[in-house]
């Protein structure tokens, strides 16, 4: 029951305008009689001659109401590739150069020691010296001791921090090697995990009592392999996966993965830069060379365009079996290009099913048949029955998928093997070449999970996960070294990019895959190499507990069909396409959250705002229905700020399709909001970024307040030519500005932006508007020192619309939608603008029009096209309750 909540009624009107386009107009008189959501929906269903829509109502603890409506008007079924891809996100890693800024450094307790691996290059000793100069107790770990678990366990006592640097033997020139694979690299990674496992409890305890740190240092290329010039010993890249996972599991520990350019030979200078990072909470991954410091950021990016360079005679090896994710990807590839697909998996090729379960699909019935036929007269545990049941179900899935693959017309073969068995893989590939021809593609999707925290995981569990990914890839690459591959596609994981609790082995292994992909792309000039960092799929190895963890990290599940199409799109890219991509993960850039320095200081998540009248004094001038409400103009400024923050080298050119879905009312003292990036598209010289404005309270009902698309550019475009029609201001406005604010508008002193109304008519209105003061006048902690646009001018324009509606219809209005905002200067004039409202349509409950903002020399500063304001008689009371 909506009661007399006129603001909510306006929001619902706006929601229906968006969700049910083409619906006949509803008069204000009728709308005023509809008091419940059910009445509104029933009435609209009858009015539109549609079958009754399904409706669901959600009420959260803040008593905000959100409405989801599905209706049975004919709609386009999602079948095209473009439509399917709307369900999945794609992000790429970009390098951002950012100078070092010293913050409040962590303090290691005096009774704790920071252990540093003596790498024999001199860098470890120099770092030790720098930390000692900063009053930290340090001890070097000899390389032979680091490789001896028992001796290392005895050595590590009262650990306050652990710093792992690559041994000198792991820094040889790659061009003097015949292969990137080195057993010392692999063992070094495993020893690093063991050291972290042994030191974990001490470091966590130290962090809880003042400060603790965990750091790894690599010498890849100074930017974690993203230089495009290949990397030294890509297996070292796994160290970053170790650190990122530790940062997720050890909340109070200061964690850093630092990559120092191999060309930086001055150990003293490099040690000073590294020591600064080590003690300074901030970004986890930092790349350093002599002249720059880079961070890794995720940026939304559209998929590449092109075509798949495979034909029916080309042979593609796919590891990971004929089940789950790899089967889905194989099917999509087969459907598109019809190559010869050789599937390799651990499961044996299933034998024909026993006749006694043929045709049975009910799980309980199958298990009953298993007990009767496989364990007659025996007492059998549910575990044993479940094991047999899983075997039969896996067999069914394999046979079903193989049949589905063959239905595409592609040649398909399934081979059961362990991809880590080098001799067997080599012999199998020889046979494949004899039967089908040379191998043209390699898709490595094999993987297993053994989730445990770092402190609890055994080396046996680690090896099982790590070796399946890394040794499996080693075997495949070595076995196909002489093949002229067109494609190498590696299935990595978002756990490698971001870390994930319980998956240190998986994160490290997949980071190794990422860096091997960078090196292979550099050395194989005619091969498209991709390492896809998948988010969790709606299937595959993602258990319910993992789904919960990824949900807490704000990562949505990838639909099977969309994920398979994503792989296809990546294969369409050229040599200039990124090697590492993140598919399906929606999250903030890789920054440490809540690193505790002391009781009074924490870092906070980006693009999150706490809204109250203390932080936003301006809200005291925007009281509607007795409650502070965030103005549409402030939301617009947020959208622009977020887009520029994610793309700092660009300028704001406009905001499209901004729609108000739910007002941000301060029912309580404060409210949190977040700005979430969505798809990014390149259109000519412009970058378009979809953004959602949502509630920022963790684990609460998700409310989308507004959404829009920000338009960014290198520099503003030339403004259009505009002439004011004489007919717009043919009538003198009857009220003084003081009367208008007192008797029609609800805006307080800080938002009184209309200086003069030059005139109006049925076609529109012309007014002089005042510029906004500096942000610090409106906000306690402004997010920048000047506005991107001018929120006072924007809000005053909305006020013009209210006054026009009141003069023409006797009703007042609130903004609900803006089709396009364009700004032709980097900043608005400080001495105000002239605003011209041109009304294009008026119905019983909506006004549509355009605004043009002119400078003193009549140049166009900005425009709003497709502005919509919802009118409702009940709003008059809300305005008076301001």
């Amino acid at each position: 029951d909506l009661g007399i909540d006129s603001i909510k009624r306006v929001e619902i009107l706006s929601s229906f305008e968006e969700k049910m386009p083409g619906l006949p107009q509803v008069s204000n008189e009728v709308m005023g009689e509809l008091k419940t959501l059910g009445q509104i929906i029933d009435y609209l269903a009858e009015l539109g001659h549609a079958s009754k829509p399904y409706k669901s109502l959600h009420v959260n603890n803040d008593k905000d109401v959100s409405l989801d409506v599905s209706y049975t008007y004919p709609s386009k079924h999602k079948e095209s590739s473009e439509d399917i891809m709307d369900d999945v996100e794609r992000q790429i890693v970009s390098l951002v150069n950012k100078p070092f800024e010293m913050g409040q450094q962590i303090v290691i307790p005096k009774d704790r020691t920071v252990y540093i691996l003596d790498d024999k290059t001199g860098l470890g000793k120099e770092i030790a010296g720098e930390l000692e100069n900063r009053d930290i107790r340090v001890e070097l770990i000899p390389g032979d001791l680091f490789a001896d678990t028992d001796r290392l366990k005895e050595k590590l006592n009262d650990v306050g921090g652990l710093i792992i640097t690559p041994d000198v033997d792991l820094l040889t020139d790659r061009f003097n090697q015949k292969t990137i694979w080195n057993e010392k690299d692999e063992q070094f990674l495993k020893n690093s995990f063991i050291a972290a496992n042994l030191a974990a409890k001490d470091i966590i305890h130290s962090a809880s009592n003042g400060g603790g740190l965990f750091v790894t240092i690599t010498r890849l290329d100074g930017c974690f392999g993203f230089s495009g010039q290949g990397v030294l010993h890509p297996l070292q890249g796994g160290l970053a996966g170790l650190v990122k996972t530790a940062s997720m599991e050890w909340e109070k520990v200061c964690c850093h993965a630092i990559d120092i350019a191999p060309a930086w030979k001055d150990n003293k200078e490099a040690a000073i830069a590294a020591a600064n990072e080590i003690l300074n909470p901030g970004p986890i991954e930092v790349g350093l060379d002599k002249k720059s410091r880079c961070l890794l950021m995720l940026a939304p990016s559209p998929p590449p365009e092109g075509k798949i360079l495979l034909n029916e005679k080309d042979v593609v090896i796919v590891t990971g079996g004929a089940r789950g994710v790899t089967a889905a990807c194989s099917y999509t590839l087969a459907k598109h290009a019809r190559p010869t697909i050789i599937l390799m998996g651990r499961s044996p090729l299933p034998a024909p099913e026993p006749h006694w379960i043929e045709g049975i699909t009910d799980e309980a019935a199958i298990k009953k048949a298993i007990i009767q036929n496989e364990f007659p007269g025996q007492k059998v545990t549910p575990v044993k029955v479940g094991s047999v049941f899983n075997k039969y179900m896996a067999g069914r899935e394999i046979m079903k998928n193989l049949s589905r693959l063959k239905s595409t017309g592609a040649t398909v073969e399934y081979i059961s093997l362990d991809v880590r068995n080098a001799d067997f893989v080599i012999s199998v590939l020889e046979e494949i070449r004899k039967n089908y021809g040379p191998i043209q593609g390699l898709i490595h999707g094999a993987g297993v999970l053994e989730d445990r925290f770092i402190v609890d995981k055994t080396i046996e569990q680690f090896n099982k996960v790590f070796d399946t990914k890394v040794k499996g890839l080693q075997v495949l690459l070595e076995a196909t070294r002489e093949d002229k591959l067109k494609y190498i596609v590696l299935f990595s994981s978002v756990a490698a990019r971001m870390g994930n609790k319980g998956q240190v082995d998986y994160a490290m292994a997949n980071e190794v895959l990422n860096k091997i992909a960078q090196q292979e792309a550099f050395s194989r000039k005619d091969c498209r190499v991709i390492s896809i960092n998948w988010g969790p799929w709606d299937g595959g190895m993602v258990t319910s507990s993992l789904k919960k963890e990824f949900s807490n990290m704000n990562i949505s599940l990838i639909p099977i069909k969309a994920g398979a199409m994503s792989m296809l799109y990546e294969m369409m890219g050229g040599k200039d396409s990124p090697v590492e991509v993140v598919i399906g993960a929606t999250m903030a850039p890789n920054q440490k959250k809540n690193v505790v320095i002391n009781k009074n200081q924490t870092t906070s998540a980006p693009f999150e705002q706490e809204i109250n009248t203390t932080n936003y004094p301006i809200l005291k001038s925007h009281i509607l229905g007795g409650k502070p409400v965030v103005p549409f103009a402030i939301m617009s400024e947020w959208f622009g700020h977020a887009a520029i923050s994610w793309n700092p080298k660009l300028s704001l050119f406009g905001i499209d399709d901004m729609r108000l879905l739910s007002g941000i009312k301060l029912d309580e003292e404060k409210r949190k909001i977040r700005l979430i990036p969505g798809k990014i598209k390149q259109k000519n010289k412009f970058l378009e970024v979809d953004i959602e404005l949502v509630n920022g309270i963790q684990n609460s009902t998700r409310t989308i307040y507004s959404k829009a698309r920000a338009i960014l550019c290198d520099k503003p475009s030339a403004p259009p030519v505009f002439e004011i029609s004489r007919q717009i201001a043919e009538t003198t406005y009857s009220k003084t500005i003081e009367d208008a604010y007192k008797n029609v508008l609800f805006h307080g002193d800080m938002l009184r932006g209309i200086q003069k109304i030059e005139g109006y008519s049925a076609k529109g209105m012309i007014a002089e508007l005042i510029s906004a003061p500096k942000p610090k006048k409106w906000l306690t902690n402004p997010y920048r020192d000047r506005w991107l646009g001018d929120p006072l001018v924007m809000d005053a324009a909305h006020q013009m619309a209210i006054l026009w509606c009141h003069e023409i219809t006797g009703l007042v209005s609130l903004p609900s939608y803006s089709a396009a905002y364009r700004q032709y200067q980097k900043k608005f004039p400080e001495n105000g603008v002239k605003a011209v409202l041109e009304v294009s349509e008026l119905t019983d409950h909506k006004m549509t029009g355009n605004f043009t903002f002119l400078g003193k020399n009549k140049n166009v500063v900005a425009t709003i096209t497709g502005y919509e304001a919802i009118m409702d008689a009940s709003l008059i009371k809300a305005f008076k309750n301001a």
Side-chain angles (χ1 to χ4, degrees):
D1 190 343
L2 298 175
I4 59 171
D5 192 338
S6 55
I7 300 172
K8 182 55 63 180
R9 184 176 286 108
V10 170
E11 291 170 3
I12 291 172
L13 280 169
S14 175
S15 179
F16 277 119
E17 289 286 343
E18 177 192 24
K19 295 177 181 291
M20 304 176 77
L23 195 69
Q25 299 294 330
V26 184
S27 70
N28 285 301
E29 290 77 12
V30 172
M31 185 56 71
E33 295 298 318
L34 304 176
K35 300 297 185 182
T36 69
L37 290 172
Q39 290 172 358
I40 294 173
I41 293 170
D42 291 341
Y43 181 80
L44 290 174
E46 294 173 7
L47 191 64
H49 304 290
S51 59
K52 187 172 180 178
Y54 171 80
K55 52 183 179 288
S56 62
L57 178 68
H58 305 287
V59 183
N60 65 23
N61 293 331
D62 294 321
K63 303 194 185 310
D64 281 337
V65 182
S66 61
L67 175 69
D68 293 335
V69 179
S70 307
Y71 55 97
T72 57
Y73 298 131
S75 60
K76 180 182 176 183
H77 184 62
K78 272 194 173 183
E79 283 297 339
S80 71
S81 298
E82 185 175 349
D83 288 338
I84 292 170
M85 294 306 293
D86 285 342
D87 293 329
V88 66
E89 280 191 286
R90 177 183 190 266
Q91 298 178 89
I92 61 173
V93 179
S94 60
L95 297 179
V96 177
N97 287 317
K98 188 172 183 181
F100 176 78
E101 295 180 6
M102 182 69 73
Q104 183 174 348
Q105 296 191 344
I106 64 167
V107 178
I108 305 298
K110 297 292 185 183
D111 60 345
R112 295 280 175 166
T113 301
V114 173
Y115 290 89
I116 304 176
L117 178 61
D118 186 357
D119 57 359
K120 299 178 186 177
T121 69
L123 179 60
K125 289 182 179 179
E126 289 289 353
I127 293 174
E130 280 300 316
L131 296 182
E132 286 176 338
N133 292 338
R134 305 181 195 199
D135 202 25
I136 295 175
R137 192 165 75 185
V138 176
E139 189 168 342
L140 289 171
I141 304 174
D144 61 335
L145 189 150
F146 187 75
D148 189 326
T149 301
D150 293 334
R151 291 172 59 203
L152 183 62
K153 187 175 182 179
E154 293 178 2
K155 177 74 170 178
L156 297 175
N157 292 303
D158 298 322
V159 184
L162 178 63
I163 301 174
I164 299 174
T165 59
D167 189 274
V168 67
D169 292 339
L170 307 181
L171 297 175
T172 54
D173 188 343
R174 66 175 180 272
F175 296 111
N176 292 328
Q177 300 181 45
K178 293 182 179 179
T179 174
I180 62 174
W181 299 96
N182 187 315
E183 288 185 7
K184 290 183 178 180
D185 283 317
E186 187 178 313
Q187 191 57 52
F188 174 73
L189 282 184
K190 294 180 178 180
N191 291 340
S192 298
F193 158 72
I194 292 171
N197 168 269
L198 295 175
K201 290 182 180 179
D202 272 5
I203 295 175
I204 295 169
H205 188 267
S206 180
S208 298
N209 288 276
L213 61 86
F214 179 57
V215 179
T216 64
I217 295 175
T218 52
R219 305 300 294 268
L220 298 173
D221 61 353
C223 52
F224 297 94
F226 288 95
S227 66
Q229 301 302 311
V231 295
L232 285 169
H233 292 268
L235 270 72
Q236 285 182 31
L239 288 178
L242 171 58
V243 173
K244 285 181 280 191
T245 304
S247 76
M248 300 288 287
E249 296 182 11
W250 308 346
E251 292 184 1
K252 297 182 180 180
V253 176
C254 182
C255 296
H256 289 295
I258 302 171
D259 187 38
I260 300 176
W264 196 356
K265 302 298 184 182
D266 190 325
N267 282 335
K268 181 69 174 177
E269 288 184 356
I272 293 172
N276 287 338
E277 301 289 347
I278 288 167
L279 299 176
N280 203 54
I284 298 173
E285 293 177 290
V286 180
L288 300 173
D289 68 22
K290 189 169 184 175
K291 296 182 179 180
S292 67
R293 173 183 184 267
C294 70
L295 308 180
L296 305 184
M297 306 292 283
L298 284 179
S301 178
E305 297 180 358
K307 60 182 180 179
I308 301 290
L309 303 177
L310 292 173
N311 56 49
E312 295 182 2
K313 295 182 179 180
D314 290 334
V315 177
V316 178
I317 306 296
V318 182
T319 70
R323 300 172 61 195
V325 168
T326 50
C329 291
S330 299
Y331 173 75
T332 302
L333 179 61
K335 193 175 179 182
H336 183 88
R338 294 183 185 174
T340 297
I341 295 179
I342 309 298
L343 292 162
M344 296 180 174
R346 289 170 296 157
S347 301
L349 187 65
E353 278 188 354
H355 65 87
W356 42 264
I357 62 168
E358 287 181 1
I360 304 177
T361 57
D362 179 68
E363 180 176 342
I366 294 173
K367 287 183 175 179
K368 182 179 179 180
I370 290 172
I371 293 171
Q372 293 173 343
N373 290 275
E374 299 228 352
F375 304 99
Q378 302 178 36
K379 289 185 177 181
V380 60
T381 65
V383 173
K384 284 187 178 180
V385 175
S387 177
V388 176
F389 172 81
N390 290 338
K391 181 187 72 172
Y392 286 132
M393 292 306 99
R396 279 189 180 181
E397 185 181 357
I398 290 173
M399 297 308 295
K400 177 184 176 182
N401 287 334
L402 289 175
S403 175
R404 187 165 178 253
L405 275 166
K406 291 175 181 178
S407 71
T408 65
T411 301
V412 179
E413 183 177 344
Y414 179 82
I415 300 172
S416 176
L417 55 73
D418 184 339
V419 73
R420 297 171 294 180
N421 187 331
D423 291 340
F424 190 36
V425 169
I426 289 170
S427 65
V428 166
L429 293 186
E430 288 286 354
E431 193 68 22
I432 289 169
R433 292 185 187 97
K434 290 178 183 177
N435 294 336
Y436 301 109
I439 297 167
Q440 301 287 339
L442 176 62
I443 300 174
H444 183 42
V448 295
L449 295 177
E450 287 281 351
D451 288 3
R452 298 286 191 283
F453 289 135
I454 293 171
V455 70
D456 299 322
K457 192 175 296 261
T458 66
I459 189 62
E460 290 75 23
Q461 292 165 339
F462 182 96
N463 287 340
K464 180 180 178 181
V465 174
F466 185 89
D467 290 352
T468 300
K469 278 284 183 184
V470 177
K471 280 195 173 180
L473 179 59
Q474 177 187 5
V475 168
L476 291 167
L477 288 179
E478 292 296 340
T480 58
R481 185 61 59 186
E482 302 304 319
D483 289 289
K484 293 182 179 179
L485 299 178
K486 295 180 181 178
Y487 291 99
I488 297 175
V489 182
L490 308 182
F491 281 17
S492 182
S493 167
V494 71
R497 177 89 315 269
M498 305 303 298
N500 192 35
K501 292 179 180 179
Q503 294 190 326
V504 62
D505 37 19
Y506 202 61
M508 292 177 70
N510 283 301
E511 268 288 64
V512 169
L513 261 60
N514 288 339
K515 304 317 165 191
I516 287 173
Q518 295 284 4
Q519 177 59 24
E520 290 292 327
F522 176 73
S523 59
R524 295 183 187 245
K525 302 301 182 184
D526 297 323
C527 180
R528 169 72 173 124
V529 183
I530 318 127
S531 188
I532 305 176
N533 289 242
W534 294 111
W537 289 62
D538 197 3
M541 295 186 293
V542 180
T543 62
S544 58
S545 61
L546 266 180
K547 287 182 181 180
K548 183 177 179 181
E549 284 298 322
F550 278 116
S551 176
N552 292 337
M553 294 166 64
N554 195 29
I555 307 175
S556 56
L557 296 178
I558 302 171
I560 293 291
K561 187 178 289 187
M565 282 301 303
S566 294
M567 184 194 78
L568 214 63
Y569 274 114
E570 295 306 324
M571 293 177 71
M572 293 178 185
K575 284 294 292 181
D576 294 335
S577 297
V579 174
E580 295 182 44
V581 297
V582 179
I583 300 292
T586 306
M587 58 179 67
N590 187 21
Q591 295 185 358
K592 179 78 172 188
K593 293 185 179 180
N594 300 325
V595 178
V596 175
I597 301 169
N598 56 47
K599 293 181 180 179
N600 299 318
Q601 183 175 348
T602 61
T603 58
S604 59
F607 316 130
E608 185 173 86
Q609 294 280 314
E610 184 174 285
I611 311 302
N612 56 51
T613 53
T614 301
N615 291 343
Y616 281 74
I618 187 61
L619 296 183
K620 296 176 183 177
S621 290
H622 203 259
I623 306 295
L624 193 57
K627 298 174 183 177
V629 179
V630 176
F632 199 68
I634 290 291
M635 294 185 192
S636 178
E637 187 73 21
W638 284 343
F639 283 126
H641 165 71
I644 292 297
S645 298
W646 293 318
N647 303 274
K649 294 183 179 180
L650 300 179
S651 298
L652 179 67
F653 179 56
I655 296 175
D656 286 0
D657 292 329
M658 181 175 170
R659 185 174 293 278
L660 182 66
L661 301 175
S662 181
I664 305 177
K665 301 184 293 292
L666 298 190
D667 299 311
E668 300 177 357
E669 291 184 359
K670 62 183 180 180
R671 186 178 291 268
K672 284 187 176 180
I673 60 95
R674 283 183 296 147
L675 294 150
I676 300 176
K679 288 189 174 182
I680 186 168
K681 297 179 181 177
Q682 183 80 41
K683 284 195 175 180
N684 299 321
K685 62 180 181 179
F686 302 110
L687 202 66
E688 299 185 352
V689 184
D690 289 340
I691 306 173
E692 285 187 349
L693 171 59
V694 304
N695 63 313
I697 305 298
Q698 296 295 323
N699 302 321
S700 70
T701 302
R702 188 169 185 264
T703 300
I704 303 176
Y705 297 123
S706 181
K707 57 184 179 180
R709 183 168 61 254
I711 313 298
L712 307 178
C713 62
D714 287 324
K715 59 182 180 180
S717 297
V721 177
F722 179 78
E723 291 187 8
I724 302 175
S725 170
R726 293 179 180 179
Q727 295 177 327
I728 291 178
E730 62 185 13
T731 305
T732 302
Y733 187 62
S734 60
K735 298 180 180 64
T736 66
I737 297 300
E738 184 66 27
D739 287 341
Y741 278 109
K742 183 177 180 180
N743 298 316
V744 181
L745 301 170
F746 63 89
H747 303 75
D749 292 342
M750 297 176 73
L751 281 173
R752 296 193 172 186
I754 300 178
Q755 189 173 40
K756 177 184 177 182
I757 297 177
E758 295 186 358
Y760 80 102
S761 70
K763 295 184 179 294
M765 179 179 281
I766 301 175
E768 293 181 5
L769 309 182
I770 302 169
S771 298
K774 295 289 186 183
K776 62 184 179 181
K777 297 290 186 180
W778 280 18
L779 317 178
T780 303
N781 298 301
Y783 27 87
R784 54 181 66 235
D785 60 2
R786 68 171 182 84
W787 302 110
L788 289 171
D790 190 314
L792 182 55
V793 166
M794 295 300 112
D795 197 80
H798 305 158
Q799 296 168 33
M800 288 174 61
I802 295 171
L803 295 178
W804 184 90
C805 291
H806 188 262
E807 284 296 304
I808 301 299
T809 70
L811 299 175
V812 290
S813 64
L814 286 177
S816 64
Y817 177 74
S818 170
Y821 168 73
R822 291 292 180 268
Q823 186 169 318
Y824 300 99
Q825 298 179 186
K826 284 197 172 182
K827 62 179 182 177
F828 269 65
E830 295 181 0
N831 54 358
V833 299
K834 178 178 289 189
V836 180
L837 166 62
E838 298 173 287
V839 176
S840 56
E841 184 180 5
L842 180 65
T843 67
D844 282 346
H845 66 265
K846 184 172 72 175
M847 182 274 280
T848 304
N850 305 319
F851 287 97
T852 303
F853 303 99
L854 305 172
K856 294 301 181 183
N857 58 357
K858 298 184 179 180
N859 61 301
V860 176
V861 176
T863 60
I864 297 175
T865 55
Y867 172 83
E868 296 178 5
I870 295 295
M871 299 184 298
D872 189 84
S874 60
L875 281 177
I876 294 175
K877 185 174 181 179
F879 276 36
K880 289 181 178 179
N881 286 337

